[in-house]
Amino acid sequence: MAEPVSSTVSIAIAAATITLSGSVFGVQYDALLAGLFGGLVSLSYLPPMPALKIAGTVAGSALLAGFFAPVIAVAALHYFPWLNSVGDFLRLAGGAGLGIAAQVLIPAGLKRLRRYVGGQ
């Protein structure tokens, strides 16, 4: 198990990265935070890892959620009009879901990209 101090420092580094990059790209902060919390939930089910990798996975979860949660919400409202009654919570739920799934989606996407580029 990772030491609590190193995990806390990693999470603080990830949160600072998320805030800085989110403000630069104009990402919605609530979607970033939903992804951050989703990433933290997912992190609790992963094996122990170095502090830098913890920061990277949590930051990746939050950034993926920040960029794609609004897209998922718009697509869901387009295909399922009855979700209009849910309101803005749909974007936050999508962000949390992406944050939870990001630690599986990102490595799988990179593996597929490497296979595509490598021509295998």
Side-chain angles (χ1 to χ4, degrees):
M1 183 169 143
E3 293 184 31
V5 173
S6 66
S7 297
T8 304
V9 169
S10 302
I11 293 168
I13 291 169
T17 302
I18 292 162
T19 304
L20 178 63
S21 61
S23 65
V24 169
F25 294 120
V27 177
Q28 299 166 347
Y29 288 113
D30 53 354
L32 285 172
L33 284 175
L36 174 72
F37 290 125
L40 292 175
V41 168
S42 182
L43 187 65
S44 68
Y45 293 101
L46 293 176
M49 59 183 88
L52 189 58
K53 191 168 183 181
I54 291 172
T57 59
V58 173
S61 295
L63 291 174
L64 184 74
F67 284 115
F68 291 105
V71 175
I72 287 176
V74 169
L77 289 173
H78 177 74
Y79 289 108
F80 306 108
W82 53 269
L83 286 173
N84 279 324
S85 62
V86 175
D88 203 36
F89 184 73
L90 181 63
R91 184 170 43 84
L92 297 177
L98 280 172
I100 290 171
Q103 294 170 358
V104 173
L105 291 174
I106 292 172
L110 289 174
K111 183 178 179 182
R112 184 173 175 105
L113 182 64
R114 282 188 200 110
R115 194 173 45 212
Y116 178 74
V117 170
Q120 296 177 358

XYZ file of all heavy atoms in Angstrom:
853
model
N 0.852 -1.183 0.000
C 0.000 0.000 0.000
C 0.890 1.236 0.000
O 1.883 1.297 0.696
C -0.892 -0.021 1.230
C -1.856 1.103 1.280
S -3.051 0.772 2.586
C -3.258 2.402 3.179
N 0.517 2.228 -0.799
C 1.276 3.471 -0.865
C 1.150 4.218 0.458
O 0.145 4.126 1.143
C 0.765 4.330 -2.009
N 2.189 4.940 0.794
C 2.141 5.709 2.028
C 1.134 6.840 1.891
O 1.027 7.456 0.838
C 3.518 6.286 2.327
C 4.553 5.230 2.660
C 5.870 5.853 3.053
O 5.856 6.963 3.613
O 6.889 5.222 2.801
N 0.396 7.137 2.975
C -0.629 8.190 2.894
C -0.073 9.556 2.515
O -0.707 10.296 1.795
C -1.233 8.217 4.302
C -0.871 6.919 4.917
C 0.390 6.459 4.253
N 1.134 9.870 2.983
C 1.705 11.190 2.679
C 2.004 11.308 1.195
O 1.670 12.308 0.559
C 2.969 11.445 3.535
C 3.645 12.721 3.105
C 2.607 11.501 5.006
N 2.617 10.274 0.608
C 2.942 10.353 -0.815
C 1.685 10.353 -1.665
O 1.627 11.019 -2.691
C 3.865 9.196 -1.216
O 3.190 7.964 -1.109
N 0.664 9.619 -1.239
C -0.598 9.625 -1.978
C -1.255 11.002 -1.915
O -1.784 11.486 -2.906
C -1.556 8.572 -1.416
O -1.016 7.293 -1.570
N -1.218 11.620 -0.754
C -1.817 12.942 -0.591
C -1.080 13.976 -1.427
O -1.708 14.816 -2.078
C -1.806 13.350 0.895
O -2.467 12.338 1.648
C -2.492 14.672 1.106
N 0.243 13.900 -1.435
C 1.029 14.827 -2.246
C 0.736 14.605 -3.722
O 0.582 15.558 -4.494
C 2.536 14.662 -1.940
C 3.386 15.406 -2.945
C 2.839 15.133 -0.533
N 0.616 13.349 -4.133
C 0.298 13.037 -5.528
C -1.050 13.609 -5.933
O -1.203 14.156 -7.025
C 0.293 11.531 -5.749
O 1.520 10.974 -5.408
N -2.017 13.469 -5.071
C -3.352 13.991 -5.361
C -3.327 15.512 -5.416
O -3.976 16.126 -6.262
C -4.367 13.461 -4.331
C -4.534 11.944 -4.521
C -5.700 14.170 -4.452
C -5.268 11.251 -3.422
N -2.551 16.150 -4.541
C -2.427 17.614 -4.575
C -1.769 18.076 -5.864
O -2.197 19.070 -6.471
C -1.637 18.094 -3.365
N -0.745 17.351 -6.316
C -0.092 17.691 -7.585
C -1.077 17.532 -8.739
O -1.153 18.386 -9.630
C 1.160 16.813 -7.800
C 2.247 17.205 -6.793
C 1.681 16.930 -9.222
C 3.406 16.253 -6.749
N -1.843 16.441 -8.709
C -2.831 16.213 -9.765
C -3.891 17.311 -9.768
O -4.283 17.807 -10.834
C -3.487 14.847 -9.585
N -4.353 17.717 -8.591
C -5.366 18.773 -8.516
C -4.831 20.094 -9.050
O -5.539 20.830 -9.752
C -5.845 18.933 -7.075
N -3.571 20.406 -8.757
C -2.969 21.643 -9.281
C -2.842 21.577 -10.795
O -3.120 22.557 -11.492
C -1.602 21.863 -8.640
N -2.443 20.419 -11.313
C -2.336 20.240 -12.763
C -3.690 20.403 -13.426
O -3.819 21.051 -14.467
C -1.772 18.839 -13.078
O -0.520 18.704 -12.441
C -1.632 18.621 -14.562
N -4.701 19.818 -12.821
C -6.052 19.887 -13.363
C -6.544 21.329 -13.404
O -7.084 21.787 -14.400
C -7.002 19.025 -12.510
C -6.651 17.557 -12.671
C -8.450 19.275 -12.864
C -7.208 16.695 -11.580
N -6.349 22.051 -12.315
C -6.810 23.437 -12.255
C -6.102 24.295 -13.291
O -6.736 25.076 -14.000
C -6.578 24.001 -10.843
O -7.230 23.158 -9.905
C -7.118 25.402 -10.735
N -4.789 24.142 -13.403
C -4.026 24.941 -14.354
C -4.423 24.614 -15.787
O -4.727 25.506 -16.580
C -2.528 24.713 -14.159
C -1.609 25.449 -15.124
C -1.766 26.949 -14.934
C -0.177 25.037 -14.903
N -4.443 23.351 -16.129
C -4.774 22.988 -17.511
C -6.232 23.269 -17.822
O -6.568 23.649 -18.942
C -4.440 21.521 -17.767
O -5.181 20.702 -16.908
N -7.103 23.086 -16.856
C -8.515 23.382 -17.091
C -8.758 24.848 -17.360
O -9.563 25.215 -18.217
N -8.050 25.713 -16.648
C -8.231 27.144 -16.877
C -7.643 27.570 -18.212
O -8.178 28.458 -18.869
C -7.615 27.942 -15.734
O -6.216 27.753 -15.704
N -6.557 26.945 -18.629
C -5.936 27.291 -19.905
C -6.838 26.898 -21.068
O -7.014 27.646 -22.027
C -4.547 26.619 -20.036
C -4.007 26.731 -21.444
C -3.580 27.226 -19.044
N -7.432 25.708 -20.993
C -8.256 25.205 -22.087
C -9.722 25.601 -21.988
O -10.499 25.296 -22.882
C -8.160 23.679 -22.165
C -6.795 23.192 -22.545
C -6.089 22.371 -21.701
C -6.217 23.564 -23.745
C -4.829 21.914 -22.040
C -4.957 23.118 -24.094
C -4.264 22.285 -23.242
N -10.131 26.231 -20.902
C -11.511 26.658 -20.749
C -12.475 25.535 -20.430
O -13.648 25.585 -20.776
N -11.985 24.507 -19.755
C -12.820 23.360 -19.399
C -13.679 23.719 -18.190
O -13.264 24.497 -17.323
C -11.920 22.140 -19.092
C -12.728 20.943 -18.658
C -11.090 21.793 -20.305
N -14.858 23.145 -18.117
C -15.767 23.422 -17.006
C -15.239 22.764 -15.730
O -14.967 21.567 -15.702
C -17.159 22.910 -17.344
C -17.728 23.584 -18.568
C -18.950 22.877 -19.112
O -19.254 21.763 -18.744
N -19.649 23.556 -20.010
N -15.098 23.557 -14.678
C -14.481 23.075 -13.452
C -15.294 21.993 -12.758
O -14.727 21.107 -12.136
C -14.228 24.236 -12.483
C -13.108 25.126 -12.927
C -13.352 26.435 -13.307
C -11.813 24.655 -12.972
C -12.320 27.249 -13.715
C -10.775 25.456 -13.385
C -11.035 26.763 -13.752
O -10.009 27.559 -14.165
N -16.614 22.063 -12.827
C -17.401 21.038 -12.152
C -17.224 19.674 -12.808
O -17.196 18.647 -12.132
C -18.872 21.425 -12.061
C -19.487 21.806 -13.386
O -18.762 21.887 -14.402
O -20.709 22.025 -13.418
N -17.052 19.637 -14.121
C -16.774 18.367 -14.799
C -15.387 17.860 -14.431
O -15.181 16.654 -14.252
C -16.904 18.527 -16.311
N -14.422 18.779 -14.288
C -13.084 18.379 -13.839
C -13.122 17.776 -12.442
O -12.499 16.750 -12.175
C -12.134 19.581 -13.836
C -11.626 20.075 -15.180
C -10.873 21.380 -14.993
C -10.743 19.050 -15.830
N -13.862 18.416 -11.557
C -13.955 17.899 -10.187
C -14.670 16.559 -10.140
O -14.292 15.675 -9.372
C -14.660 18.913 -9.284
C -13.813 20.100 -8.877
C -14.642 21.110 -8.091
C -12.632 19.647 -8.048
N -15.713 16.390 -10.941
C -16.403 15.099 -10.998
C -15.445 14.019 -11.486
O -15.418 12.905 -10.952
C -17.623 15.187 -11.905
N -14.637 14.333 -12.484
C -13.640 13.386 -12.969
C -12.566 13.109 -11.939
O -12.087 11.981 -11.812
N -12.165 14.141 -11.189
C -11.175 13.964 -10.127
C -11.696 12.985 -9.082
O -10.995 12.048 -8.699
C -10.842 15.313 -9.486
C -9.926 15.250 -8.260
C -8.506 14.905 -8.673
C -9.959 16.565 -7.513
N -12.921 13.185 -8.633
C -13.487 12.290 -7.624
C -13.688 10.884 -8.184
O -13.460 9.899 -7.490
C -14.790 12.854 -7.060
C -14.575 14.062 -6.201
C -15.238 15.240 -6.465
C -13.682 14.037 -5.143
C -15.026 16.368 -5.681
C -13.464 15.149 -4.356
C -14.148 16.315 -4.625
N -14.088 10.787 -9.449
C -14.194 9.476 -10.081
C -12.847 8.784 -10.162
O -12.732 7.579 -9.932
N -11.806 9.546 -10.485
C -10.456 8.994 -10.528
C -9.980 8.526 -9.168
O -9.302 7.507 -9.052
N -10.346 9.264 -8.115
C -9.974 8.852 -6.766
C -10.685 7.570 -6.362
O -10.100 6.697 -5.715
C -10.274 9.971 -5.762
C -9.419 11.219 -5.892
C -9.893 12.302 -4.927
C -7.958 10.901 -5.670
N -11.946 7.440 -6.747
C -12.680 6.201 -6.473
C -12.019 5.039 -7.196
O -11.786 3.972 -6.618
C -14.169 6.340 -6.882
C -14.865 5.001 -6.883
C -14.877 7.309 -5.957
N -11.716 5.224 -8.460
C -11.070 4.170 -9.238
C -9.681 3.847 -8.696
O -9.265 2.683 -8.711
C -10.971 4.604 -10.704
O -10.395 3.600 -11.478
N -8.980 4.844 -8.218
C -7.640 4.649 -7.669
C -7.664 3.731 -6.455
O -6.712 2.982 -6.223
C -7.043 6.010 -7.294
C -5.596 6.048 -6.865
C -4.692 5.645 -8.027
C -5.239 7.443 -6.390
N -8.739 3.755 -5.703
C -8.814 2.914 -4.512
C -8.880 1.427 -4.864
O -8.640 0.586 -4.007
C -10.017 3.314 -3.656
O -11.220 2.999 -4.323
N -9.184 1.095 -6.116
C -9.247 -0.303 -6.535
C -8.008 -0.749 -7.301
O -7.935 -1.903 -7.719
C -10.493 -0.537 -7.399
C -11.765 -0.386 -6.613
C -12.511 0.784 -6.693
C -12.204 -1.380 -5.768
C -13.668 0.936 -5.958
C -13.353 -1.234 -5.025
C -14.079 -0.078 -5.129
O -15.226 0.077 -4.398
N -7.056 0.139 -7.497
C -5.836 -0.202 -8.220
C -4.741 -0.620 -7.243
O -4.762 -0.231 -6.075
C -5.367 1.002 -9.045
C -6.263 1.423 -10.193
C -5.717 2.679 -10.855
C -6.383 0.308 -11.211
N -3.780 -1.402 -7.727
C -2.666 -1.779 -6.844
C -1.798 -0.562 -6.521
O -1.859 0.450 -7.220
C -1.894 -2.810 -7.678
C -2.270 -2.540 -9.086
C -3.661 -1.988 -9.057
N -0.986 -0.661 -5.475
C -0.097 0.455 -5.122
C 0.823 0.818 -6.290
O 1.261 -0.050 -7.050
C 0.716 -0.088 -3.944
C -0.088 -1.208 -3.408
C -0.849 -1.782 -4.552
N 1.078 2.108 -6.425
C 1.933 2.591 -7.504
C 2.701 3.813 -7.033
O 2.349 4.408 -6.010
C 1.099 2.881 -8.753
C 0.003 3.904 -8.573
S -1.008 4.153 -10.034
C -2.257 2.918 -9.839
N 3.737 4.215 -7.781
C 4.524 5.390 -7.383
C 3.695 6.672 -7.387
O 2.667 6.764 -8.067
C 5.626 5.462 -8.450
C 5.618 4.162 -9.154
C 4.275 3.552 -8.957
N 4.170 7.651 -6.635
C 3.442 8.910 -6.479
C 3.207 9.616 -7.805
O 2.120 10.163 -8.048
C 4.193 9.833 -5.526
N 4.188 9.598 -8.686
C 4.033 10.276 -9.972
C 2.957 9.599 -10.827
O 2.187 10.278 -11.514
C 5.372 10.309 -10.715
C 5.425 11.171 -11.962
C 5.075 12.618 -11.620
C 6.798 11.100 -12.597
N 2.883 8.298 -10.762
C 1.863 7.583 -11.517
C 0.474 7.845 -10.930
O -0.501 7.962 -11.667
C 2.168 6.089 -11.542
C 1.300 5.342 -12.516
C 1.797 3.944 -12.753
C 0.911 3.281 -13.797
N 1.339 1.917 -14.059
N 0.390 7.951 -9.621
C -0.889 8.295 -8.984
C -1.359 9.655 -9.480
O -2.515 9.826 -9.876
C -0.761 8.291 -7.448
C -0.569 6.874 -6.929
C -1.987 8.926 -6.799
C -0.249 6.799 -5.457
N -0.460 10.631 -9.470
C -0.806 11.976 -9.938
C -1.225 11.947 -11.402
O -2.190 12.597 -11.793
C 0.370 12.926 -9.737
N -0.518 11.176 -12.204
C -0.846 11.095 -13.625
C -2.194 10.456 -13.897
O -2.953 10.930 -14.738
N -2.509 9.384 -13.173
C -3.793 8.719 -13.412
C -4.966 9.576 -12.949
O -5.995 9.639 -13.629
C -3.848 7.341 -12.732
O -3.658 7.499 -11.335
C -2.826 6.395 -13.289
N -4.798 10.235 -11.820
C -5.886 11.094 -11.329
C -6.056 12.310 -12.240
O -7.183 12.700 -12.572
C -5.632 11.504 -9.860
C -6.653 12.520 -9.391
C -5.676 10.285 -8.966
N -4.945 12.905 -12.670
C -5.036 14.045 -13.591
C -5.632 13.619 -14.928
O -6.459 14.329 -15.504
C -3.655 14.661 -13.806
N -5.245 12.457 -15.412
C -5.815 11.953 -16.665
C -7.306 11.714 -16.556
O -8.071 12.025 -17.475
N -7.737 11.168 -15.428
C -9.171 10.944 -15.210
C -9.939 12.260 -15.232
O -10.984 12.372 -15.873
C -9.396 10.260 -13.861
O -8.837 8.985 -13.833
N -9.417 13.248 -14.533
C -10.104 14.533 -14.461
C -10.121 15.241 -15.812
O -11.148 15.804 -16.211
C -9.453 15.413 -13.409
N -9.002 15.212 -16.516
C -8.952 15.894 -17.812
C -9.840 15.213 -18.846
O -10.511 15.887 -19.627
C -7.513 15.990 -18.304
C -6.621 16.938 -17.503
C -5.182 16.849 -17.975
C -7.135 18.362 -17.612
N -9.853 13.881 -18.852
C -10.749 13.174 -19.766
C -12.195 13.543 -19.479
O -12.978 13.816 -20.393
C -10.539 11.664 -19.640
C -11.340 10.804 -20.597
C -10.746 10.893 -22.000
C -11.358 9.368 -20.135
N -12.552 13.578 -18.211
C -13.916 13.949 -17.836
C -14.211 15.403 -18.180
O -15.304 15.724 -18.666
C -14.124 13.712 -16.344
N -13.254 16.276 -17.938
C -13.474 17.693 -18.225
C -13.714 17.966 -19.695
O -14.544 18.791 -20.066
N -12.986 17.266 -20.553
C -13.136 17.487 -21.985
C -14.353 16.769 -22.579
O -14.995 17.298 -23.480
C -11.878 17.042 -22.737
C -10.736 17.993 -22.611
C -9.569 17.613 -21.968
C -10.821 19.280 -23.117
C -8.513 18.499 -21.845
C -9.769 20.170 -22.999
C -8.611 19.773 -22.356
N -14.649 15.574 -22.105
C -15.664 14.772 -22.781
C -17.008 14.661 -22.064
O -17.978 14.194 -22.659
C -15.110 13.368 -23.069
C -14.031 13.389 -24.105
C -12.707 13.235 -23.747
C -14.337 13.590 -25.431
C -11.699 13.277 -24.695
C -13.342 13.636 -26.392
C -12.021 13.472 -26.025
N -17.111 15.058 -20.811
C -18.401 15.002 -20.116
C -19.454 15.895 -20.784
O -20.602 15.462 -20.957
C -18.248 15.358 -18.645
N -19.114 17.129 -21.207
C -20.127 17.925 -21.905
C -20.568 17.294 -23.228
O -21.736 17.366 -23.596
C -19.421 19.270 -22.155
C -18.380 19.348 -21.110
C -17.917 17.937 -20.910
N -19.634 16.640 -23.918
C -19.979 15.975 -25.182
C -20.920 14.808 -24.926
O -21.911 14.617 -25.649
C -18.686 15.485 -25.895
C -19.020 14.697 -27.143
C -17.785 16.659 -26.213
N -20.632 14.031 -23.892
C -21.496 12.897 -23.542
C -22.882 13.384 -23.142
O -23.893 12.795 -23.526
C -20.853 12.072 -22.413
C -19.671 11.292 -22.973
C -21.856 11.134 -21.769
C -18.902 10.529 -21.937
N -22.943 14.480 -22.403
C -24.244 15.007 -21.976
C -25.070 15.470 -23.177
O -26.274 15.172 -23.264
C -24.050 16.154 -20.991
N -24.447 16.164 -24.111
C -25.175 16.629 -25.301
C -25.639 15.450 -26.143
O -26.781 15.420 -26.633
C -24.292 17.598 -26.122
C -24.894 17.882 -27.485
C -24.084 18.890 -25.357
N -24.763 14.460 -26.314
C -25.137 13.276 -27.095
C -26.269 12.516 -26.420
O -27.215 12.064 -27.092
C -23.936 12.370 -27.293
N -26.198 12.369 -25.112
C -27.259 11.666 -24.391
C -28.587 12.408 -24.515
O -29.636 11.782 -24.708
C -26.873 11.496 -22.925
N -28.563 13.724 -24.419
C -29.801 14.496 -24.554
C -30.355 14.424 -25.969
O -31.571 14.483 -26.168
C -29.567 15.955 -24.154
C -29.346 16.197 -22.665
C -28.965 17.642 -22.421
C -30.568 15.812 -21.873
N -29.481 14.306 -26.948
C -29.932 14.193 -28.334
C -30.638 12.862 -28.571
O -31.684 12.815 -29.214
C -28.743 14.341 -29.286
C -29.104 14.174 -30.723
N -29.793 15.133 -31.428
C -28.894 13.150 -31.587
C -29.987 14.704 -32.666
N -29.445 13.503 -32.781
N -30.050 11.775 -28.065
C -30.615 10.452 -28.319
C -31.681 10.045 -27.318
O -32.510 9.183 -27.611
C -29.499 9.404 -28.344
C -28.629 9.529 -29.562
C -27.339 10.017 -29.467
C -29.112 9.193 -30.820
C -26.538 10.150 -30.585
C -28.325 9.326 -31.946
C -27.041 9.797 -31.828
O -26.264 9.934 -32.939
N -31.663 10.626 -26.139
C -32.643 10.306 -25.102
C -33.266 11.594 -24.577
O -32.877 12.106 -23.525
C -31.985 9.538 -23.954
C -31.249 8.310 -24.400
C -29.861 8.279 -24.398
C -31.940 7.182 -24.820
C -29.172 7.156 -24.800
C -31.262 6.046 -25.223
C -29.879 6.030 -25.223
N -34.242 12.156 -25.286
C -34.820 13.448 -24.883
C -35.448 13.444 -23.489
O -35.540 14.489 -22.853
C -35.883 13.723 -25.950
C -35.589 12.794 -27.065
C -34.816 11.661 -26.517
N -35.845 12.277 -23.003
C -36.453 12.223 -21.673
C -35.444 12.569 -20.577
O -35.830 12.816 -19.437
C -37.084 10.852 -21.422
C -36.151 9.692 -21.654
C -35.972 9.014 -22.815
C -35.277 9.105 -20.698
N -35.028 8.034 -22.652
C -34.588 8.056 -21.356
C -34.998 9.341 -19.368
C -33.644 7.265 -20.710
C -34.056 8.547 -18.725
C -33.398 7.523 -19.408
N -34.163 12.633 -20.899
C -33.148 13.012 -19.913
C -33.108 14.518 -19.646
O -32.359 14.968 -18.782
C -31.761 12.552 -20.368
C -31.486 11.057 -20.256
C -30.146 10.719 -20.889
C -31.502 10.621 -18.812
N -33.913 15.297 -20.385
C -33.963 16.745 -20.140
C -34.366 17.065 -18.712
O -33.961 18.080 -18.156
C -34.928 17.424 -21.114
C -34.284 17.659 -22.456
O -33.104 17.956 -22.541
N -35.069 17.505 -23.507
N -35.160 16.189 -18.104
C -35.602 16.436 -16.736
C -34.461 16.270 -15.724
O -34.547 16.763 -14.613
C -36.746 15.488 -16.378
O -36.298 14.145 -16.432
N -33.386 15.588 -16.109
C -32.246 15.403 -15.212
C -31.476 16.706 -15.045
O -30.925 16.996 -13.987
C -31.319 14.280 -15.749
C -30.069 14.152 -14.913
C -32.066 12.966 -15.800
N -31.426 17.497 -16.099
C -30.753 18.791 -16.043
C -29.246 18.675 -16.106
O -28.696 17.790 -16.759
N -28.570 19.555 -15.398
C -27.115 19.645 -15.449
C -26.425 18.474 -14.759
O -25.241 18.255 -14.942
C -26.674 20.961 -14.807
C -25.316 21.405 -15.290
O -25.018 21.182 -16.482
O -24.558 21.957 -14.477
N -27.169 17.726 -13.977
C -26.592 16.577 -13.278
C -26.075 15.525 -14.248
O -25.155 14.773 -13.921
C -27.626 15.962 -12.332
C -27.076 14.831 -11.520
C -26.202 15.078 -10.476
C -27.413 13.524 -11.812
C -25.681 14.038 -9.733
C -26.895 12.479 -11.077
C -26.030 12.735 -10.026
N -26.635 15.500 -15.450
C -26.201 14.528 -16.453
C -24.728 14.730 -16.808
O -23.969 13.771 -16.939
C -27.079 14.641 -17.699
C -26.777 13.687 -18.831
C -27.009 12.251 -18.386
C -27.665 13.998 -20.017
N -24.304 15.966 -16.938
C -22.905 16.262 -17.252
C -21.992 15.855 -16.095
O -20.923 15.279 -16.307
C -22.736 17.750 -17.562
C -21.356 18.129 -17.995
C -21.300 19.556 -18.511
N -22.052 20.499 -17.701
C -21.592 21.095 -16.601
N -20.381 20.857 -16.194
N -22.329 21.940 -15.939
N -22.420 16.105 -14.873
C -21.616 15.727 -13.718
C -21.541 14.213 -13.559
O -20.484 13.665 -13.239
C -22.178 16.369 -12.450
C -22.153 17.887 -12.427
C -22.801 18.415 -11.165
C -20.741 18.389 -12.562
N -22.644 13.532 -13.788
C -22.637 12.070 -13.710
C -21.760 11.476 -14.808
O -21.022 10.512 -14.576
C -24.064 11.534 -13.818
N -21.820 12.059 -15.995
C -20.945 11.613 -17.081
C -19.483 11.853 -16.749
O -18.622 11.013 -17.049
N -19.177 12.973 -16.121
C -17.811 13.264 -15.717
C -17.298 12.286 -14.668
O -16.164 11.809 -14.750
N -18.141 11.969 -13.695
C -17.742 11.001 -12.671
C -17.554 9.618 -13.285
O -16.596 8.908 -12.960
C -18.779 10.960 -11.557
N -18.436 9.249 -14.185
C -18.311 7.953 -14.860
C -17.046 7.874 -15.700
O -16.351 6.853 -15.702
N -16.745 8.946 -16.404
C -15.502 8.976 -17.178
C -14.270 8.947 -16.270
O -13.266 8.325 -16.603
C -15.454 10.214 -18.071
C -16.240 10.139 -19.360
C -16.258 11.502 -20.037
C -15.655 9.098 -20.281
N -14.359 9.627 -15.142
C -13.247 9.612 -14.197
C -12.987 8.225 -13.648
O -11.837 7.803 -13.496
N -14.059 7.485 -13.377
C -13.914 6.118 -12.889
C -13.352 5.216 -13.980
O -12.463 4.399 -13.743
C -15.266 5.583 -12.380
C -15.653 6.305 -11.081
C -15.215 4.077 -12.160
C -17.044 6.014 -10.598
N -13.854 5.370 -15.195
C -13.458 4.483 -16.294
C -12.144 4.884 -16.954
O -11.559 4.079 -17.683
C -14.564 4.459 -17.336
N -11.667 6.087 -16.714
C -10.490 6.592 -17.431
C -9.245 5.758 -17.197
O -8.420 5.616 -18.091
C -10.222 8.039 -17.040
N -9.104 5.204 -16.021
C -7.894 4.455 -15.728
C -7.867 3.103 -16.437
O -6.858 2.410 -16.404
C -7.719 4.333 -14.223
C -7.468 5.709 -13.654
C -7.506 5.781 -12.157
O -7.755 4.807 -11.483
N -7.259 6.962 -11.632
N -8.960 2.759 -17.081
C -8.995 1.592 -17.959
C -9.045 2.058 -19.419
O -8.387 1.486 -20.283
C -10.220 0.708 -17.639
C -10.369 -0.403 -18.638
C -10.117 0.151 -16.231
N -9.814 3.110 -19.684
C -9.984 3.596 -21.059
C -8.698 4.161 -21.654
O -8.393 3.906 -22.822
C -11.067 4.680 -21.104
C -12.500 4.246 -20.855
C -13.423 5.457 -20.795
C -12.944 3.282 -21.926
N -7.957 4.932 -20.896
C -6.745 5.562 -21.429
C -5.691 4.515 -21.820
O -5.194 4.548 -22.945
C -6.187 6.617 -20.448
C -7.151 7.803 -20.371
C -4.798 7.086 -20.878
C -6.806 8.817 -19.309
N -5.344 3.554 -20.936
C -4.377 2.540 -21.376
C -4.878 1.699 -22.554
O -4.110 1.368 -23.462
C -4.165 1.666 -20.138
C -4.530 2.529 -19.000
C -5.620 3.428 -19.511
N -6.161 1.375 -22.569
C -6.709 0.594 -23.685
C -6.657 1.392 -24.985
O -6.321 0.848 -26.046
C -8.141 0.177 -23.378
N -6.965 2.677 -24.915
C -6.901 3.526 -26.100
C -5.474 3.686 -26.611
O -5.229 3.661 -27.819
N -4.521 3.844 -25.694
C -3.122 3.961 -26.106
C -2.612 2.656 -26.720
O -1.853 2.675 -27.696
C -2.249 4.364 -24.919
C -2.425 5.795 -24.423
C -1.616 6.023 -23.151
C -2.038 6.780 -25.499
N -3.039 1.532 -26.163
C -2.637 0.237 -26.718
C -3.185 0.066 -28.130
O -2.488 -0.370 -29.043
C -3.139 -0.884 -25.809
C -2.727 -2.261 -26.250
C -3.227 -3.307 -25.275
C -2.845 -4.698 -25.726
N -3.371 -5.718 -24.805
N -4.431 0.443 -28.314
C -5.040 0.345 -29.645
C -4.356 1.292 -30.630
O -4.132 0.950 -31.791
C -6.526 0.637 -29.554
C -7.249 0.454 -30.858
C -8.745 0.600 -30.666
N -9.419 0.550 -31.929
C -10.096 -0.491 -32.353
N -10.203 -1.557 -31.592
N -10.704 -0.468 -33.515
N -4.027 2.485 -30.179
C -3.337 3.449 -31.034
C -1.955 2.936 -31.446
O -1.568 3.061 -32.613
C -3.219 4.801 -30.321
C -2.571 5.927 -31.106
C -3.422 6.269 -32.324
C -2.401 7.143 -30.222
N -1.237 2.352 -30.494
C 0.082 1.783 -30.818
C -0.049 0.653 -31.844
O 0.765 0.534 -32.745
C 0.750 1.256 -29.560
C 1.353 2.319 -28.710
C 2.177 1.736 -27.565
N 2.332 2.736 -26.528
C 1.753 2.680 -25.352
N 0.985 1.674 -25.005
N 1.939 3.651 -24.485
N -1.076 -0.173 -31.684
C -1.292 -1.270 -32.626
C -1.662 -0.727 -34.008
O -1.224 -1.231 -35.020
C -2.389 -2.187 -32.092
C -2.473 -3.513 -32.784
C -3.442 -4.445 -32.135
N -4.690 -3.772 -31.810
C -5.456 -4.072 -30.779
N -5.104 -5.032 -29.951
N -6.574 -3.436 -30.543
N -2.450 0.334 -34.028
C -2.859 0.951 -35.293
C -1.671 1.598 -35.997
O -1.473 1.440 -37.200
C -3.965 1.972 -35.039
C -4.409 2.698 -36.277
C -5.197 2.072 -37.234
C -4.028 4.023 -36.501
C -5.614 2.738 -38.363
C -4.426 4.694 -37.631
C -5.216 4.056 -38.558
O -5.615 4.714 -39.677
N -0.878 2.334 -35.248
C 0.285 3.015 -35.823
C 1.366 2.004 -36.222
O 2.005 2.145 -37.254
C 0.855 4.061 -34.825
C 2.188 4.605 -35.297
C -0.138 5.186 -34.639
N 1.522 0.969 -35.407
C 2.516 -0.054 -35.701
C 2.111 -0.965 -36.849
O 2.932 -1.711 -37.366
N 0.865 -0.945 -37.248
C 0.385 -1.745 -38.357
C 0.202 -3.219 -38.023
O 0.191 -4.065 -38.896
N 0.031 -3.539 -36.768
C -0.141 -4.938 -36.392
C -1.597 -5.304 -36.280
O -2.445 -4.651 -35.930
C 0.545 -5.200 -35.065
C 2.029 -4.993 -35.152
C 2.686 -5.190 -33.794
O 2.031 -5.442 -32.803
N 3.990 -5.052 -33.756
